[in-house]
Amino acid sequence: MNKKTVRDIDVAGKRVFLRVDYNVQFDNGQILDDYRLRESIPTLEYLIEQGAKTILCAHRGRPGGKVVEELRNEPVAKHLATLIGREVKWVTDCVGPEVEAAVAAMQPGDLLLLENVRFYPGEEANDPQFAKQLASLADVFVSDAFGTAHRAHASVVGVGYYLPAVSGLLMERELEYLGRVATDGEQPFAVILGGAKVADKLAILKNLVDRASLICVGGGIANTFLRAQGIDVGASLFEADRIQDAYDVMRLASSRNDLRLLMPTDVVIADAAGTRINTVSVHRIPPGFRILDLGRRTLEDMREALAPMKTVVWNGPVGFFEREPFDRGSIEVARMLADLVGATTVVGGGETAAAVAKAGVAHLLSHVSTGGGASLEMLQGVTLPGVEILRDK
Ligand code: ADP
Ligand code: MG
């Protein structure tokens, strides 16, 4: 994408306002998943090397414009310090005298994390006054908060009206990979769609279908597609008002010789109690049973169909992966992508990234996005406000 990056400007000795997405969860003081923190480290190291004074700005959760003790950034600063192996100072405000003093005391190479920026109502309101106050702390604005780039908030967009705005190295990677598959991508091109809501996924399909030669459907949304084929899905959830949309996709695929739609032919099902688990043909789902994962034969067909692909985009787990043994299908799909040597493999979506992490193959894929909603919008072809604000090359 055609946006200036932190490499295109001089940051030596400068105060850099670095917006990051450190929206991570803790359980009993233990961080649950630090992928977003780890992915931000190349930018931090670059800024340190250049002798910048880096003021990190981040949010956690939805405090709704007021202080929520459990959502403070202090544990984030501490965890980041262990990851990067150097001191990360933090303050309990984002603006005001305490923060100004901390910034004034910074030396080149220092890192300072501000408090949860969503403690301020001006953040989500994109209040110009608040944005200006944040901007006054620094000389340049570097955005690495891809996961928040679909939100027109003060620290994501507003600060860019007062300071020169460029992308960080993580943002650059996100835009490169998601931008490539959203608009281009080497042929043949495959899309794997799973997850929960048909409408979200259809919007992605709408943007990608013209360039796709293979569409694999799994997960909760496949139930609606199976219904559109007239199949009885037992007690599985499906969206009655989306059956027509699913049918339209099926009709489009059958009218195009160069497009294959791969639907589940066998599935893993369970009864309401989740104790009786079985793999059956989609034509043999007993009443009261729910579809919770793809079956072995469907997965084998998928692996074979994906083999010649040069670009693969995956959004949406193909099963109820949070619960064993229904994680097997999604883990297998992650492995299929990992085995596609020479192809560009891109994963978007919060839960899909979690499934890839569970499979332990994130490092074998071209790109696993740190953005949930933001990656979906990119794949749908939407221009994100937090990207638009960045300077063009
Ligand atoms: P992402 O966050 O990656 O965009 P979604 O939010 O669309 O993904 O969907 C993720 C959810 O879909 C997961 O919580 C997963 O358990 C659920 N899911 C997938 N397949 C099924 C299924 N067959 N039955 C019930 N839930 C499913
Ligand atoms: Mg989700």
Side-chain angles (χ1 to χ4, degrees):
M1 214 160 264
N2 217 19
K3 294 294 181 184
K4 273 195 179 161
T5 81
V6 65
R7 285 200 204 87
D8 299 320
I9 58 166
D10 180 18
V11 291
K14 298 239 173 83
R15 296 169 304 166
V16 172
F17 185 90
L18 177 66
R19 181 53 157 108
V20 286
D21 190 329
Y22 287 169
N23 188 13
V24 289
Q25 281 162 10
F26 289 83
D27 184 28
N28 267 322
Q30 277 302 105
I31 193 163
L32 292 181
D33 180 2
D34 63 2
Y35 183 61
R36 285 176 161 173
L37 271 63
R38 283 186 280 115
E39 290 293 288
S40 79
I41 286 178
T43 303
L44 296 179
E45 283 179 341
Y46 179 82
L47 289 168
I48 293 165
E49 257 167 48
Q50 296 289 311
K53 301 169 182 173
T54 306
I55 305 159
L56 293 109
C57 176
H59 76 277
R60 285 183 59 212
R62 298 173 180 270
K66 54 180 180 359
V67 174
V68 174
E69 286 303 326
E70 313 80 79
L71 294 176
R72 287 198 180 275
N73 271 345
E74 179 182 341
V76 178
K78 287 183 169 163
H79 189 77
L80 183 63
T82 66
L83 286 179
I84 198 161
R86 54 161 61 223
E87 189 183 10
V88 178
K89 297 201 179 83
W90 78 89
V91 279
T92 55
D93 263 312
C94 289
V95 293
E98 185 208 348
V99 179
E100 283 159 23
V103 171
M106 287 176 84
Q107 297 299 313
D110 277 359
L111 303 173
L112 173 73
L113 177 62
L114 303 179
E115 187 51 279
N116 186 342
V117 68
R118 287 196 187 165
F119 287 175
Y120 295 80
E123 167 64 359
E124 294 193 56
N126 194 10
D127 172 31
Q129 207 47 45
F130 182 57
K132 198 172 172 181
Q133 272 183 295
L134 291 174
S136 73
L137 298 172
D139 307 301
V140 291
F141 175 34
V142 177
S143 182
D144 237 356
F146 177 74
T148 324
H150 57 318
R151 306 288 183 212
H153 294 170
S155 67
V156 180
V157 172
V159 171
Y161 292 117
Y162 302 101
L163 293 176
V166 298
S167 83
L169 305 180
L170 171 59
M171 177 73 91
E172 180 187 28
R173 259 177 71 80
E174 294 273 12
L175 297 181
E176 183 190 327
Y177 281 99
L178 288 164
R180 190 192 302 170
V181 297
T183 59
D184 190 14
E186 195 184 343
Q187 299 283 334
F189 190 110
V191 188
I192 305 170
L193 292 176
K197 275 185 64 198
V198 177
D200 285 353
K201 312 302 168 182
L202 284 177
I204 294 177
L205 207 49
K206 207 168 164 193
N207 186 41
L208 302 182
V209 72
D210 290 343
R211 287 176 286 122
S213 30
L214 173 68
I215 300 168
C216 302
V217 180
I221 67 161
N223 302 341
T224 304
F225 281 79
L226 292 170
R227 282 292 296 154
Q229 282 186 316
I231 288 171
D232 180 356
V233 294
S236 308
L237 291 178
F238 67 94
E239 295 172 58
D241 56 341
R242 293 289 173 189
I243 292 176
Q244 182 64 46
D245 292 326
Y247 189 77
D248 290 343
V249 173
M250 285 162 43
R251 218 177 37 184
L252 175 76
S254 64
S255 75
R256 257 180 58 189
N257 290 330
D258 59 342
L259 175 62
R260 177 172 178 207
L261 176 65
L262 204 140
M263 299 264 294
T265 51
D266 65 338
V267 285
V268 180
I269 55 168
D271 62 358
T275 46
R276 286 159 65 202
I277 299 170
N278 207 348
T279 301
V280 297
S281 152
V282 292
H283 299 290
R284 295 222 175 349
I285 299 165
F289 277 73
R290 286 186 302 155
I291 301 174
L292 293 173
D293 201 7
L294 294 177
R296 188 109 315 267
R297 205 176 78 203
T298 305
L299 290 166
E300 272 164 26
D301 290 345
M302 256 177 94
R303 185 179 271 280
E304 216 174 283
L306 285 170
M309 295 293 143
K310 284 283 176 234
T311 308
V312 183
V313 183
W314 178 23
N315 170 245
V318 297
F320 181 31
F321 82 101
E322 293 92 340
R323 174 98 58 86
E324 283 171 31
F326 312 113
D327 57 346
R328 285 189 196 157
S330 299
I331 288 174
E332 180 58 24
V333 172
R335 288 188 186 139
M336 285 176 207
L337 265 57
D339 289 342
L340 286 174
V341 182
T344 301
T345 48
V346 178
V347 172
E351 263 93 25
T352 319
V356 171
K358 207 169 177 187
V361 297
H363 61 290
L364 297 173
L365 307 190
S366 307
H367 186 63
V368 179
S369 179
T370 57
S375 65
L376 296 201
E377 289 195 24
M378 280 282 288
L379 293 176
Q380 291 166 358
V382 175
T383 307
L384 311 182
V387 174
E388 216 167 7
I389 191 73
L390 306 176
R391 296 211 169 164
D392 291 325
K393 272 209 167 135

